[in-house]
């Protein structure tokens, strides 16, 4: 529990910082990935972050497949890659 809480506290802090960087213009926070299957994780982050925007849980374990499909679309010329260098 201690390790989970530390990880989730860090995630909540990071998401709060991103919300500040976006000038509070956050439409929704979506929790996804395999870890979103955990009710403890979803409840913790919802409690910490719901003041920023509504929190939606879309648990799933297809992260690598989604990343690979996106790379294939870029390589096939169907989609342009996003350049996030201006955020660093």
């Amino acid at each position: 529990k201690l390790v989970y809480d530390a990880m989730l506290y860090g995630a909540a802090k990071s998401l709060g910082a991103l919300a500040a960087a976006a000038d509070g213009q956050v439409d929704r926070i979506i929790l996804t990935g395999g870890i979103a299957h955990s009710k403890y994780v979803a409840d913790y982050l919802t409690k910490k972050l719901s003041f920023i925007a509504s929190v939606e849980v879309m648990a799933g374990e297809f992260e690598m497949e989604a990343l690979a499909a996106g790379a294939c679309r870029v390589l096939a010329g169907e989609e342009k890659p996003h350049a996030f260098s201006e955020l660093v």
Side-chain angles (χ1 to χ4, degrees):
K1 182 178 181 307
L2 180 64
V3 173
Y4 244 16
D5 287 348
M7 176 190 72
L8 296 171
Y9 177 77
K13 276 181 42 176
S14 295
L15 289 164
L18 288 171
D23 297 324
Q25 301 297 309
V26 180
D27 297 324
R28 181 174 299 146
I29 297 168
I30 301 174
L31 306 177
T32 188
I35 198 163
H37 284 289
S38 168
K39 181 173 173 17
Y40 184 80
V41 168
D43 289 348
Y44 184 103
L45 291 175
T46 298
K47 180 180 176 186
K48 290 282 190 190
L49 302 170
S50 60
F51 77 96
I52 297 170
S54 63
V55 178
E56 184 175 341
V57 179
M58 297 179 71
E61 299 174 15
F62 299 104
E63 296 95 339
M64 300 316 304
E65 291 88 343
L67 289 169
C72 287
R73 288 191 304 274
V74 169
L75 292 172
E78 299 168 5
E79 187 174 313
K80 286 188 168 198
H82 299 280
F84 295 105
S85 60
E86 66 274 2
L87 297 176
V88 208

